[in-house]
Amino acid sequence: GILSSDKLLVRRQAPRAINEIASLQGALNTVQPALDRIPQVWYPPRQPAPSMGLPSLGSTLQGGISDDHAESLYGRNFLATPGVFWVVQPTPLPGQDPKDVPEPKLHCLAAQLQHRVPCWGYVFQEAEPAQPDVPRRKVCILGDTINSAGIAPLAMGCDVISHEATFSKGMEDKCRVAQHSTGWMAGAFAEAVQAKQLVLTHFSARYTRLGGPEGRSS
């Protein structure tokens, strides 16, 4: 296990700013042009968006549809916070001497992802290289997301990234409503952060095991 103890106390941590860490700000400066080239299919509520088969939330509200109805179309109005991250680390149990908390074998950072409800991405990196003269391995695991830009500087150069691929390319309208990603979007993000390997997860039930979507081409 990562820790020798079978108990772990988790406490809420205040976020830290990306621009306060020189290495992360440098990673953000590097990855931002690639992120900017990825077409966006989702826009924050009550802001105009290009027509993609559905009206923007702003135009919907101007048309007299209630907030509740708009929310049913576009999901809850959760907005991921950009430019910040969280350090996930073991905390002493009540009455435990901090010196008795073992050093973790992995460092873990977290950032918010854009989805209808709060979702997170995590980056795990070895505290020490597994072998001499070998870089510390880094893995990025993302939850439900339509936009993962907040974790991009943390994930930069990761060995493996796990990204959802709920829909196929051409189904961006559904992505916009459900706030999920296409396989193409996952690949574009993995390329932007220079991930060495990409693992796709969270496929829609419309896809069969061996073929494409039932009743339509992928």
Coordinates of all heavy atoms in Angstrom, one line a residue, residues 108-189:
C108 N 0.1 13.3 -5.0 CA -1.2 13.4 -5.7 C -1.7 14.9 -5.7 O -1.7 15.5 -4.7 CB -2.3 12.6 -4.9 SG -3.9 12.7 -5.7
L109 N -2.0 15.3 -6.9 CA -2.5 16.7 -7.1 C -3.9 16.5 -7.8 O -4.1 15.5 -8.5 CB -1.6 17.5 -8.0 CG -0.2 17.7 -7.5 CD1 0.6 18.5 -8.5 CD2 -0.2 18.4 -6.1
A110 N -4.8 17.4 -7.5 CA -6.2 17.3 -8.0 C -6.6 18.7 -8.6 O -6.1 19.7 -8.1 CB -7.1 16.9 -6.9
A111 N -7.5 18.7 -9.6 CA -8.1 19.9 -10.1 C -9.5 19.6 -10.6 O -9.9 18.4 -10.8 CB -7.2 20.4 -11.3
Q112 N -10.3 20.6 -10.6 CA -11.7 20.4 -11.0 C -11.8 20.3 -12.6 O -11.1 20.9 -13.3 CB -12.5 21.6 -10.6 CG -12.7 21.7 -9.1 CD -13.6 22.9 -8.7 OE1 -13.7 23.9 -9.4 NE2 -14.2 22.8 -7.5
L113 N -12.8 19.5 -13.0 CA -13.1 19.3 -14.4 C -14.5 19.9 -14.6 O -15.3 19.9 -13.7 CB -13.1 17.8 -14.7 CG -11.9 17.0 -14.3 CD1 -12.1 15.5 -14.6 CD2 -10.7 17.5 -15.0
Q114 N -14.8 20.3 -15.8 CA -16.1 20.8 -16.1 C -17.1 19.7 -16.4 O -16.9 18.9 -17.3 CB -16.1 21.8 -17.3 CG -17.4 22.4 -17.7 CD -18.0 23.1 -16.5 OE1 -17.3 23.9 -15.8 NE2 -19.3 22.9 -16.1
H115 N -18.1 19.6 -15.6 CA -19.2 18.6 -15.8 C -20.5 19.3 -15.1 O -20.4 20.3 -14.5 CB -18.8 17.3 -15.1 CG -19.8 16.2 -15.4 ND1 -20.2 15.9 -16.7 CD2 -20.5 15.4 -14.6 CE1 -21.0 14.9 -16.7 NE2 -21.3 14.6 -15.4
R116 N -21.6 18.6 -15.3 CA -22.8 19.1 -14.7 C -22.8 19.2 -13.2 O -23.5 20.0 -12.6 CB -24.0 18.2 -15.1 CG -24.3 18.3 -16.6 CD -25.4 17.4 -17.0 NE -25.1 16.0 -16.7 CZ -25.9 15.0 -16.8 NH1 -27.2 15.2 -17.2 NH2 -25.5 13.7 -16.6
V117 N -22.0 18.3 -12.6 CA -21.9 18.3 -11.1 C -20.4 18.3 -10.9 O -19.6 18.0 -11.8 CB -22.5 17.1 -10.5 CG1 -24.0 17.1 -10.7 CG2 -22.0 15.8 -11.1
P118 N -19.9 18.6 -9.7 CA -18.5 18.7 -9.4 C -17.8 17.3 -9.7 O -18.2 16.3 -9.2 CB -18.4 19.0 -7.9 CG -19.7 19.7 -7.6 CD -20.7 19.1 -8.5
C119 N -16.8 17.4 -10.5 CA -16.0 16.2 -10.9 C -14.5 16.6 -10.8 O -14.2 17.8 -11.0 CB -16.3 15.6 -12.2 SG -17.9 14.7 -12.3
W120 N -13.7 15.6 -10.6 CA -12.3 15.9 -10.4 C -11.3 15.1 -11.2 O -11.7 14.0 -11.6 CB -11.9 15.7 -8.9 CG -12.6 16.6 -8.0 CD1 -13.9 16.4 -7.5 CD2 -12.2 17.7 -7.4 NE1 -14.3 17.5 -6.7 CE2 -13.2 18.3 -6.6 CE3 -10.9 18.4 -7.4 CZ2 -13.1 19.4 -5.8 CZ3 -10.8 19.6 -6.6 CH2 -11.9 20.1 -5.9
G121 N -10.2 15.6 -11.5 CA -9.1 14.8 -12.1 C -7.9 14.7 -11.1 O -7.7 15.6 -10.3
Y122 N -7.2 13.7 -11.2 CA -6.1 13.4 -10.2 C -4.8 13.1 -11.0 O -4.9 12.4 -12.0 CB -6.4 12.3 -9.3 CG -7.6 12.6 -8.4 CD1 -8.9 12.2 -8.8 CD2 -7.5 13.3 -7.2 CE1 -10.0 12.5 -8.1 CE2 -8.6 13.5 -6.4 CZ -9.9 13.2 -6.9 OH -11.0 13.4 -6.1
V123 N -3.7 13.6 -10.5 CA -2.4 13.3 -11.1 C -1.6 12.7 -10.0 O -1.4 13.2 -8.9 CB -1.7 14.6 -11.7 CG1 -0.3 14.2 -12.1 CG2 -2.5 15.1 -12.8
F124 N -1.1 11.4 -10.3 CA -0.3 10.7 -9.3 C 1.1 10.6 -9.9 O 1.3 10.2 -11.1 CB -0.8 9.3 -9.1 CG -2.2 9.3 -8.5 CD1 -3.3 9.2 -9.4 CD2 -2.5 9.3 -7.2 CE1 -4.6 9.2 -8.9 CE2 -3.8 9.3 -6.7 CZ -4.8 9.2 -7.5
Q125 N 2.1 10.9 -9.1 CA 3.5 10.8 -9.5 C 4.3 10.2 -8.4 O 4.1 10.5 -7.2 CB 4.1 12.2 -9.9 CG 5.5 12.1 -10.5 CD 5.9 13.4 -11.1 OE1 5.4 14.5 -10.8 NE2 6.8 13.3 -12.1
E126 N 5.2 9.4 -8.8 CA 6.1 8.7 -7.9 C 6.9 9.7 -7.1 O 7.4 10.7 -7.7 CB 7.1 7.8 -8.6 CG 6.4 6.6 -9.2 CD 7.4 5.7 -10.1 OE1 8.2 6.3 -10.8 OE2 7.3 4.5 -10.0
A127 N 7.0 9.5 -5.8 CA 7.9 10.4 -5.0 C 9.4 10.1 -5.3 O 10.2 11.1 -5.3 CB 7.6 10.1 -3.5
E128 N 9.7 8.9 -5.6 CA 11.1 8.6 -6.0 C 11.0 7.7 -7.3 O 10.1 6.9 -7.5 CB 11.8 7.8 -4.9 CG 11.9 8.6 -3.6 CD 12.9 9.8 -3.8 OE1 13.7 9.7 -4.7 OE2 12.8 10.7 -2.9
P129 N 12.0 7.8 -8.1 CA 12.0 6.9 -9.3 C 12.0 5.5 -9.0 O 12.6 5.1 -8.0 CB 13.3 7.4 -10.1 CG 13.6 8.7 -9.5 CD 13.2 8.7 -8.1
A130 N 11.4 4.7 -9.8 CA 11.3 3.2 -9.5 C 12.7 2.6 -9.7 O 13.1 1.6 -9.1 CB 10.3 2.5 -10.4
Q131 N 13.5 3.2 -10.6 CA 14.8 2.7 -10.9 C 15.8 3.9 -11.1 O 15.3 5.0 -11.4 CB 14.8 1.9 -12.3 CG 13.9 0.7 -12.2 CD 14.0 0.0 -13.6 OE1 14.7 0.4 -14.5 NE2 13.1 -1.0 -13.7
P132 N 17.0 3.7 -10.8 CA 18.0 4.8 -11.0 C 18.0 5.4 -12.4 O 17.9 4.6 -13.3 CB 19.3 4.2 -10.6 CG 19.0 3.0 -9.7 CD 17.7 2.5 -10.3
D133 N 18.2 6.7 -12.5 CA 18.3 7.3 -13.8 C 17.1 7.2 -14.7 O 17.1 7.2 -15.9 CB 19.5 6.8 -14.6 CG 20.8 6.9 -13.8 OD1 21.0 8.0 -13.2 OD2 21.7 6.0 -13.9
V134 N 15.9 6.9 -14.1 CA 14.6 6.8 -14.8 C 13.7 7.9 -14.2 O 13.6 8.1 -13.0 CB 14.0 5.5 -14.6 CG1 12.6 5.4 -15.2 CG2 14.9 4.4 -15.2
P135 N 13.1 8.7 -15.1 CA 12.2 9.8 -14.6 C 11.0 9.2 -13.7 O 10.6 8.0 -13.9 CB 11.6 10.4 -15.8 CG 12.6 10.1 -16.9 CD 13.2 8.7 -16.5
R136 N 10.6 10.0 -12.8 CA 9.4 9.6 -12.0 C 8.2 9.4 -12.9 O 7.9 10.3 -13.6 CB 9.2 10.6 -10.9 CG 10.3 10.6 -9.8 CD 9.9 11.7 -8.7 NE 9.8 13.0 -9.3 CZ 9.0 14.0 -8.8 NH1 8.3 13.7 -7.7 NH2 8.9 15.1 -9.4
R137 N 7.5 8.3 -12.8 CA 6.3 8.0 -13.6 C 5.1 8.9 -13.1 O 5.0 9.1 -11.9 CB 6.0 6.6 -13.6 CG 7.1 5.7 -14.3 CD 6.8 4.2 -14.1 NE 7.0 3.8 -12.8 CZ 6.9 2.6 -12.3 NH1 6.6 1.6 -13.2 NH2 7.1 2.3 -11.1
K138 N 4.3 9.3 -14.0 CA 3.2 10.1 -13.7 C 1.9 9.6 -14.5 O 2.0 9.3 -15.7 CB 3.4 11.6 -14.1 CG 2.3 12.5 -13.8 CD 2.8 14.0 -13.7 CE 3.2 14.5 -15.0 NZ 3.4 16.0 -15.0
V139 N 0.8 9.5 -13.7 CA -0.4 9.0 -14.3 C -1.5 10.1 -14.0 O -1.6 10.6 -12.9 CB -0.8 7.7 -13.7 CG1 -2.2 7.2 -14.1 CG2 0.2 6.6 -14.0
C140 N -2.4 10.3 -15.0 CA -3.5 11.3 -14.8 C -4.8 10.5 -15.0 O -5.0 9.9 -16.1 CB -3.3 12.4 -15.8 SG -4.7 13.6 -15.8
I141 N -5.7 10.6 -14.1 CA -7.0 9.9 -14.1 C -8.1 11.0 -14.0 O -8.2 11.7 -13.0 CB -7.1 8.9 -13.0 CG1 -6.0 7.9 -13.1 CG2 -8.5 8.2 -13.0 CD1 -6.0 6.9 -11.9
L142 N -8.9 11.1 -15.1 CA -10.0 12.1 -15.1 C -11.3 11.5 -14.9 O -11.6 10.4 -15.4 CB -9.9 12.8 -16.5 CG -8.6 13.4 -16.9 CD1 -8.7 14.1 -18.2 CD2 -8.1 14.3 -15.8
G143 N -12.2 12.2 -14.2 CA -13.6 11.8 -14.1 C -14.4 12.3 -15.2 O -13.9 12.6 -16.3
D144 N -15.7 12.4 -15.1 CA -16.6 12.9 -16.1 C -16.2 14.4 -16.5 O -16.0 15.2 -15.6 CB -18.0 12.9 -15.6 CG -18.6 11.5 -15.5 OD1 -17.9 10.6 -15.8 OD2 -19.7 11.4 -15.0
T145 N -16.1 14.7 -17.8 CA -15.6 16.0 -18.1 C -16.0 16.3 -19.6 O -16.0 15.4 -20.4 CB -14.1 16.0 -18.0 OG1 -13.6 17.3 -18.4 CG2 -13.4 14.9 -18.8
I146 N -16.2 17.6 -19.8 CA -16.3 18.1 -21.2 C -15.2 19.1 -21.4 O -14.9 19.5 -22.6 CB -17.7 18.8 -21.4 CG1 -17.9 19.0 -22.9 CG2 -17.8 20.1 -20.6 CD1 -19.3 19.5 -23.3
N147 N -14.5 19.5 -20.4 CA -13.4 20.4 -20.5 C -12.4 20.2 -19.3 O -12.8 20.4 -18.2 CB -13.9 21.9 -20.5 CG -12.7 22.9 -20.8 OD1 -11.6 22.7 -20.3 ND2 -13.0 23.9 -21.6
S148 N -11.2 19.8 -19.6 CA -10.3 19.4 -18.6 C -9.1 20.3 -18.5 O -8.0 20.0 -18.0 CB -9.8 18.0 -18.8 OG -10.8 17.0 -19.0
A149 N -9.3 21.6 -19.0 CA -8.2 22.5 -19.1 C -7.6 22.8 -17.8 O -6.4 23.1 -17.6 CB -8.6 23.8 -19.8
G150 N -8.4 22.7 -16.7 CA -7.9 23.1 -15.4 C -6.8 22.1 -14.9 O -5.9 22.6 -14.1
I151 N -6.7 20.9 -15.4 CA -5.7 20.0 -14.9 C -4.6 19.9 -15.9 O -3.6 19.2 -15.6 CB -6.3 18.6 -14.7 CG1 -5.5 17.8 -13.7 CG2 -6.6 17.8 -16.0 CD1 -6.1 16.5 -13.2
A152 N -4.6 20.6 -17.0 CA -3.6 20.4 -18.1 C -2.2 20.7 -17.6 O -1.3 19.9 -17.9 CB -4.0 21.3 -19.2
P153 N -1.9 21.7 -16.8 CA -0.5 21.9 -16.4 C 0.0 20.9 -15.5 O 1.2 20.6 -15.4 CB -0.5 23.3 -15.8 CG -2.0 23.6 -15.4 CD -2.8 22.9 -16.5
L154 N -0.9 20.3 -14.7 CA -0.6 19.2 -13.8 C -0.3 17.9 -14.5 O 0.6 17.2 -14.2 CB -1.7 19.0 -12.7 CG -2.2 20.1 -12.0 CD1 -3.3 19.7 -11.0 CD2 -1.2 20.9 -11.2
A155 N -1.0 17.7 -15.6 CA -0.9 16.4 -16.4 C 0.2 16.5 -17.4 O 0.5 15.4 -18.0 CB -2.2 16.2 -17.0
M156 N 0.8 17.6 -17.6 CA 1.7 17.8 -18.7 C 2.8 16.7 -18.7 O 3.5 16.5 -17.7 CB 2.4 19.2 -18.6 CG 3.1 19.6 -19.8 SD 2.0 19.9 -21.2 CE 3.2 20.4 -22.5
G157 N 3.0 16.0 -19.8 CA 4.1 15.0 -19.9 C 3.8 13.7 -19.2 O 4.8 13.0 -19.0
C158 N 2.6 13.5 -18.9 CA 2.3 12.3 -18.1 C 2.5 11.0 -18.9 O 2.5 11.0 -20.2 CB 0.8 12.3 -17.6 SG -0.4 12.3 -18.8
D159 N 2.8 9.9 -18.2 CA 3.1 8.6 -18.9 C 1.8 8.0 -19.4 O 1.7 7.4 -20.5 CB 3.8 7.7 -18.0 CG 5.2 8.1 -17.6 OD1 6.1 7.9 -18.4 OD2 5.3 8.8 -16.6
V160 N 0.7 8.1 -18.7 CA -0.6 7.6 -19.0 C -1.7 8.6 -18.6 O -1.6 9.2 -17.5 CB -0.9 6.2 -18.4 CG1 -2.3 5.7 -18.8 CG2 0.2 5.2 -18.7
I161 N -2.7 8.8 -19.5 CA -3.8 9.6 -19.1 C -5.1 8.8 -19.4 O -5.2 8.1 -20.4 CB -3.9 10.9 -19.8 CG1 -5.0 11.8 -19.3 CG2 -4.0 10.8 -21.3 CD1 -5.0 13.2 -19.8
S162 N -6.0 8.7 -18.4 CA -7.3 8.0 -18.6 C -8.4 9.1 -18.8 O -8.5 10.0 -17.9 CB -7.6 7.2 -17.3 OG -8.9 6.7 -17.4
H163 N -9.1 9.1 -19.9 CA -10.0 10.1 -20.2 C -11.3 9.5 -20.7 O -11.3 8.5 -21.5 CB -9.4 11.0 -21.4 CG -10.1 12.3 -21.6 ND1 -11.4 12.4 -22.0 CD2 -9.6 13.6 -21.5 CE1 -11.7 13.7 -22.1 NE2 -10.7 14.4 -21.8
E164 N -12.4 10.0 -20.3 CA -13.7 9.5 -20.8 C -13.9 9.7 -22.3 O -13.4 10.7 -22.8 CB -14.8 10.1 -20.0 CG -15.0 11.6 -20.2 CD -16.5 11.9 -20.3 OE1 -17.1 11.6 -21.4 OE2 -17.1 12.6 -19.4
A165 N -14.7 8.8 -22.9 CA -15.0 9.0 -24.3 C -16.5 8.5 -24.5 O -16.8 7.5 -25.1 CB -14.1 8.1 -25.1
T166 N -17.4 9.2 -23.9 CA -18.8 8.8 -23.9 C -19.4 8.8 -25.2 O -20.2 7.8 -25.6 CB -19.6 9.8 -23.0 OG1 -19.0 9.9 -21.7 CG2 -21.1 9.4 -22.8
F167 N -19.1 9.7 -26.1 CA -19.7 9.8 -27.4 C -18.6 9.7 -28.5 O -17.4 9.9 -28.3 CB -20.5 11.1 -27.6 CG -21.6 11.3 -26.5 CD1 -21.5 12.2 -25.5 CD2 -22.7 10.5 -26.6 CE1 -22.5 12.4 -24.6 CE2 -23.7 10.6 -25.7 CZ -23.6 11.6 -24.7
S168 N -19.1 9.5 -29.7 CA -18.2 9.5 -30.9 C -18.2 10.9 -31.5 O -19.1 11.7 -31.3 CB -18.6 8.5 -31.9 OG -19.9 8.7 -32.4
K169 N -17.2 11.2 -32.3 CA -17.1 12.5 -33.0 C -18.4 12.7 -33.9 O -18.8 11.7 -34.5 CB -15.9 12.6 -33.9 CG -15.6 14.0 -34.4 CD -14.3 14.0 -35.2 CE -14.0 15.4 -35.6 NZ -12.7 15.6 -36.4
G170 N -18.9 13.9 -33.9 CA -20.1 14.2 -34.6 C -21.3 14.2 -33.7 O -22.4 14.6 -34.1
M171 N -21.1 13.9 -32.4 CA -22.2 13.9 -31.4 C -22.0 15.0 -30.4 O -22.3 14.9 -29.2 CB -22.3 12.6 -30.7 CG -22.6 11.4 -31.7 SD -22.8 9.8 -30.8 CE -24.4 10.1 -30.1
E172 N -21.4 16.1 -30.9 CA -21.0 17.2 -29.9 C -22.3 17.9 -29.3 O -22.2 18.4 -28.2 CB -20.2 18.3 -30.7 CG -18.8 17.9 -30.9 CD -18.6 16.9 -32.1 OE1 -19.6 16.7 -32.9 OE2 -17.6 16.3 -32.3
D173 N -23.4 17.8 -30.0 CA -24.6 18.4 -29.4 C -25.0 17.6 -28.1 O -25.4 18.2 -27.1 CB -25.8 18.3 -30.4 CG -25.7 19.3 -31.5 OD1 -24.9 20.2 -31.4 OD2 -26.4 19.2 -32.5
K174 N -24.9 16.3 -28.2 CA -25.1 15.5 -27.0 C -24.1 15.8 -25.9 O -24.4 15.9 -24.7 CB -25.2 14.0 -27.3 CG -26.4 13.6 -28.1 CD -26.4 12.1 -28.3 CE -27.7 11.7 -29.1 NZ -28.9 11.9 -28.3
C175 N -22.8 16.0 -26.3 CA -21.8 16.3 -25.3 C -22.1 17.6 -24.6 O -21.9 17.8 -23.4 CB -20.5 16.5 -26.1 SG -19.7 15.0 -26.7
R176 N -22.6 18.6 -25.4 CA -22.9 19.9 -24.8 C -24.0 19.8 -23.7 O -23.9 20.5 -22.7 CB -23.4 20.8 -25.9 CG -23.6 22.3 -25.5 CD -24.1 23.1 -26.6 NE -24.4 24.4 -26.1 CZ -25.2 25.3 -26.8 NH1 -25.7 25.0 -28.0 NH2 -25.4 26.5 -26.3
V177 N -25.0 19.0 -23.9 CA -26.1 18.9 -23.0 C -25.6 18.0 -21.8 O -25.8 18.4 -20.6 CB -27.3 18.2 -23.6 CG1 -28.4 18.0 -22.5 CG2 -27.8 19.2 -24.7
A178 N -25.0 16.9 -22.1 CA -24.6 15.9 -21.0 C -23.3 16.3 -20.3 O -23.0 15.8 -19.3 CB -24.5 14.5 -21.6
Q179 N -22.5 17.2 -21.0 CA -21.2 17.6 -20.5 C -20.3 16.4 -20.3 O -19.6 16.2 -19.3 CB -21.3 18.4 -19.2 CG -22.0 19.8 -19.4 CD -21.8 20.8 -18.3 OE1 -20.8 20.7 -17.5 NE2 -22.8 21.6 -18.0
H180 N -20.2 15.6 -21.4 CA -19.3 14.5 -21.6 C -18.4 14.8 -22.8 O -18.6 15.8 -23.5 CB -20.0 13.2 -21.7 CG -20.6 12.7 -20.4 ND1 -19.8 12.3 -19.3 CD2 -21.9 12.4 -20.0 CE1 -20.5 11.9 -18.3 NE2 -21.8 12.0 -18.7
S181 N -17.5 13.9 -23.1 CA -16.5 14.1 -24.1 C -16.7 13.1 -25.2 O -17.2 12.0 -25.0 CB -15.1 14.0 -23.6 OG -14.8 15.0 -22.6
T182 N -16.2 13.4 -26.4 CA -16.1 12.4 -27.5 C -14.7 11.8 -27.4 O -13.8 12.3 -26.8 CB -16.2 13.1 -28.9 OG1 -15.1 14.0 -29.1 CG2 -17.6 13.8 -29.0
G183 N -14.5 10.7 -28.1 CA -13.2 10.1 -28.2 C -12.2 11.0 -28.8 O -11.0 11.1 -28.4
W184 N -12.6 11.8 -29.8 CA -11.8 12.7 -30.5 C -11.3 13.8 -29.5 O -10.1 14.2 -29.5 CB -12.5 13.4 -31.7 CG -11.6 14.3 -32.4 CD1 -10.8 14.0 -33.5 CD2 -11.3 15.7 -32.2 NE1 -10.1 15.1 -34.0 CE2 -10.4 16.1 -33.2 CE3 -11.8 16.6 -31.2 CZ2 -9.9 17.4 -33.2 CZ3 -11.3 17.9 -31.2 CH2 -10.4 18.3 -32.2
M185 N -12.2 14.3 -28.7 CA -11.8 15.3 -27.7 C -10.8 14.7 -26.7 O -9.9 15.4 -26.3 CB -13.1 15.8 -26.9 CG -14.0 16.6 -27.8 SD -15.7 16.8 -27.1 CE -15.4 17.6 -25.6
A186 N -11.0 13.5 -26.3 CA -10.0 12.8 -25.4 C -8.6 12.8 -26.0 O -7.6 13.1 -25.4 CB -10.5 11.4 -25.0
G187 N -8.6 12.4 -27.3 CA -7.3 12.3 -28.0 C -6.7 13.7 -28.2 O -5.4 13.8 -28.0
A188 N -7.5 14.7 -28.4 CA -6.9 16.0 -28.6 C -6.3 16.5 -27.3 O -5.3 17.2 -27.3 CB -8.0 17.0 -29.1
F189 N -7.0 16.2 -26.2 CA -6.5 16.7 -24.9 C -5.2 15.9 -24.5 O -4.2 16.5 -24.1 CB -7.5 16.5 -23.8 CG -7.1 17.0 -22.5 CD1 -7.1 18.4 -22.2 CD2 -6.6 16.2 -21.5 CE1 -6.7 18.9 -21.0 CE2 -6.2 16.7 -20.2 CZ -6.3 18.0 -20.0

